[in-house]
Amino acid sequence: MNITENLSVFNRRFADEWLHLFPRGVIAEQSGDGALLFRGPVPLSEDPHHIGTHVVVSLDDEVQEALRSAAAAQREEMTQNLICNLGTQVEAMYSMDNIGTNALNIRGDIRIIDGL
């Protein structure tokens, strides 16, 4: 998997807003497909140096296209709605005491933009 610390504008804004939810040592990275990964030490792991993905935040293709094609003011409103909605989902579902072999996956779909 291709992972980088160079984040897209959306992922940087999301990480700046919500990184505080995670334990010390967790950082924001981006996968090759554009998903935002919150990665860091895994508590209660047999290997104290084990690094894993705690949460993955991604946007459906339809959402990405809507953001690309929107006028600046509309894009900003959609971005704020996505950051608030998806961040609230992370806040509600993430527990550093319940990290398994699979990361918590949060996916933004068009219903968030449409307000459904």
Side-chain angles (χ1 to χ4, degrees), residues 8-116:
S8 67
V9 172
F10 177 84
N11 285 348
R12 170 56 47 215
R13 288 184 60 189
F14 189 96
D16 288 347
E17 182 76 24
W18 294 101
L19 190 59
H20 72 276
L21 294 176
F22 299 94
R24 192 180 65 202
V26 172
I27 62 171
E29 297 179 316
Q30 184 169 307
S31 66
D33 65 358
L36 177 60
L37 312 172
F38 289 98
R39 293 177 43 83
V42 177
L44 307 176
S45 172
E46 292 178 17
D47 176 2
H49 303 290
H50 177 72
I51 301 296
T53 302
H54 292 235
V55 174
V56 176
V57 178
S58 59
L59 302 175
D60 284 346
D61 291 340
E62 192 175 16
V63 171
Q64 293 179 41
E65 179 56 35
L67 288 168
R68 275 192 297 273
S69 63
Q74 184 182 23
R75 183 179 318 109
E76 178 59 25
E77 182 179 342
M78 291 187 311
T79 298
Q80 284 297 324
N81 287 342
L82 286 162
I83 289 172
C84 181
N85 184 295
L86 298 174
T88 300
Q89 289 182 54
V90 172
E91 185 174 35
M93 292 188 279
Y94 174 72
S95 170
M96 68 181 178
D97 296 325
N98 189 22
I99 299 171
T101 56
N102 297 309
L104 172 63
N105 286 295
I106 303 293
R107 189 152 186 90
D109 61 32
I110 202 69
R111 293 176 299 164
I112 294 169
I113 291 176
D114 291 342
L116 302 176

